[in-house]
Amino acid sequence: MTTTRVLTGDRPTGPLHLGHYFGSLQNRVRLQDGGAEVFVLVADYQVLTDRDTAERLDEHVLGLVLDYLAIGIDPGRTTVFAHSAVPALNQLLLPFLSLVSVPELNRNPTVKDEIAHSRQSSVSGLMFSYPAHQAADILFCKATLVPVGKDQLPHLEVTRLIARRFNERYGRTFPEPEAMLSRAPLLLGTDGTKMSKSRGNAIAIRATSDETARLIKGAKTDSVRTISYDPAGRPEVSSLVLLAALCLDADPVALAGEIGDGGAAALKKTVTEAVNERFAPIRARRAALAADPAFARAVLRDGCARAREIADATLEEVRTAMGMRY
């Protein structure tokens, strides 16, 4: 039986938050514990797709690795690696770009949205080639399953297209990876919009209990005293209810009923206690790991070495298929 190989990852642009945990990170641990071979990419090159410089990059990269280890990623079973440390992965971008047309890249709706929200005044070549670069991320290790949100499906379709065209032109080399759509409901940030590292509205996994309490205290709610779970009609209140329910492994409708007429103050108290209780062990592990950063750096170094071995072998296979062995 073939082992499922999973590729997922994050851009090191800031601390991972509770939206990341319930939307993605928790599932990575489940996949790992279920026997899948998981590759977690620290996408440092992709930081530059929508900004001119990669600020505090070393700090953010180390922070991601600490978060991964704290939530249960096991470096003995999961490979954690960085773009910039795997030259052969990035070299795959060149033949992959030859397999897609400019119009195909230009009409990618995800790229259009990312360009619209870019921090740059003009579109860089790296942003434009983002889907092909993601194809290299996925195909270098021949991943068969890629956890994505719906907004990332166009990127995965480009990867499948590149794999298919390479196989047709040069012989069967790559699998066409399948999407694993996240079923996690969307958590809003404290301002009522999507929780995001860049919007300053997120509760970091590493936040202290006091920081958590302060952020939740300032979270947007509404003027209705009775608490109910109604994501369409009361999105901000419902997101807070959902966050507490996820932390408590409870039903959000039932939890809202328990809070009842307690109003926003009771809701925020419930959420604060639930978050701090759920994440106390994770935060304690992270603090212990942060006290010895050499271990996290060794995990990344070993992961990069393993990723290089795999990428080198894949690039050799590609060169052979393309007649580039001189």
Side-chain angles (χ1 to χ4, degrees):
M1 181 175 165
T2 304
T3 301
T4 299
R5 185 171 274 189
V6 178
L7 186 285
T8 184
D10 306 279
R11 296 199 308 164
T13 55
L16 296 177
H17 54 66
L18 304 192
H20 290 125
Y21 179 80
F22 289 112
S24 173
L25 301 176
Q26 187 176 229
N27 208 36
R28 295 178 195 178
V29 177
R30 288 189 186 126
L31 286 165
Q32 166 195 274
D33 293 348
E37 189 176 4
V38 181
F39 288 76
V40 179
L41 166 65
V42 178
D44 52 353
Y45 275 150
Q46 287 177 2
V47 172
L48 298 169
T49 54
D50 62 353
R51 58 197 74 201
D52 295 323
T53 58
E55 299 171 357
R56 299 163 58 196
L57 189 58
D58 182 66
E59 173 190 333
H60 290 326
V61 168
L62 180 62
L64 286 194
V65 178
L66 290 171
D67 285 339
Y68 295 153
L69 295 173
I71 60 129
I73 291 296
D74 177 0
R77 293 179 289 167
T78 291
T79 302
V80 180
F81 68 101
H83 259 155
S84 58
V86 189
L89 182 163
N90 298 294
Q91 198 166 341
L92 289 171
L93 179 60
L94 297 175
F96 285 0
L97 281 172
S98 75
L99 297 168
V100 285
S101 67
V102 170
E104 284 170 335
L105 291 174
N106 201 33
R107 63 173 173 256
N108 185 306
T110 305
V111 171
K112 287 182 179 179
D113 182 67
E114 286 164 348
I115 288 171
H117 293 91
S118 171
R119 296 187 182 187
Q120 294 176 308
S121 57
S122 59
V123 180
S124 73
L126 187 59
M127 171 66 88
F128 196 66
S129 62
Y130 192 10
H133 201 185
Q134 280 205 331
D137 299 338
I138 296 165
L139 297 177
F140 96 94
C141 65
K142 300 187 179 180
T144 56
L145 191 65
V146 184
V148 291
K150 286 185 179 179
D151 61 327
Q152 291 291 311
L153 282 175
H155 279 336
L156 188 59
E157 281 307 308
V158 172
T159 297
R160 289 169 56 82
L161 178 66
I162 286 172
R164 187 160 55 250
R165 286 180 178 169
F166 190 95
N167 293 341
E168 289 169 351
R169 294 185 191 185
Y170 303 111
R172 178 74 185 174
T173 306
F174 295 109
E176 291 184 36
E178 298 292 332
M180 180 182 179
L181 278 172
S182 172
R183 294 179 181 175
L186 177 68
L187 281 176
L188 300 181
T190 53
D191 61 355
T193 66
K194 180 182 177 182
M195 193 176 287
S196 167
K197 287 181 286 187
S198 61
R199 295 181 185 181
N201 66 355
I203 301 169
I205 290 171
R206 71 184 189 194
T208 65
S209 57
D210 288 344
E211 288 171 337
T212 300
R214 177 179 56 80
L215 289 165
I216 292 172
K217 184 178 180 180
K220 185 178 179 182
T221 55
D222 59 31
S223 59
V224 180
R225 182 167 182 81
T226 302
I227 300 303
S228 61
Y229 184 65
D230 177 10
R234 305 181 69 188
E236 297 92 356
V237 166
S238 297
S239 185
L240 287 171
V241 172
L242 176 61
L243 175 55
L246 288 168
C247 290
L248 296 168
D249 294 319
D251 175 67
V253 175
L255 182 61
E258 290 175 18
I259 299 169
D261 294 332
L267 170 61
K268 291 179 179 181
K269 182 175 184 291
T270 299
V271 177
T272 300
E273 291 174 353
V275 170
N276 283 335
E277 182 178 349
R278 174 67 177 261
F279 285 89
I282 292 173
R283 290 165 172 175
R285 283 196 298 273
R286 194 188 188 285
L289 289 160
D292 181 21
F295 176 72
R297 292 188 185 281
V299 166
L300 183 60
R301 186 167 58 250
D302 292 347
C304 290
R306 167 150 171 73
R308 278 195 296 272
E309 287 180 11
I310 294 169
D312 287 347
T314 300
L315 184 60
E316 279 302 296
E317 195 175 350
V318 165
R319 284 173 171 160
T320 300
M322 296 179 72
M324 292 181 173
R325 293 291 301 276
Y326 310 127

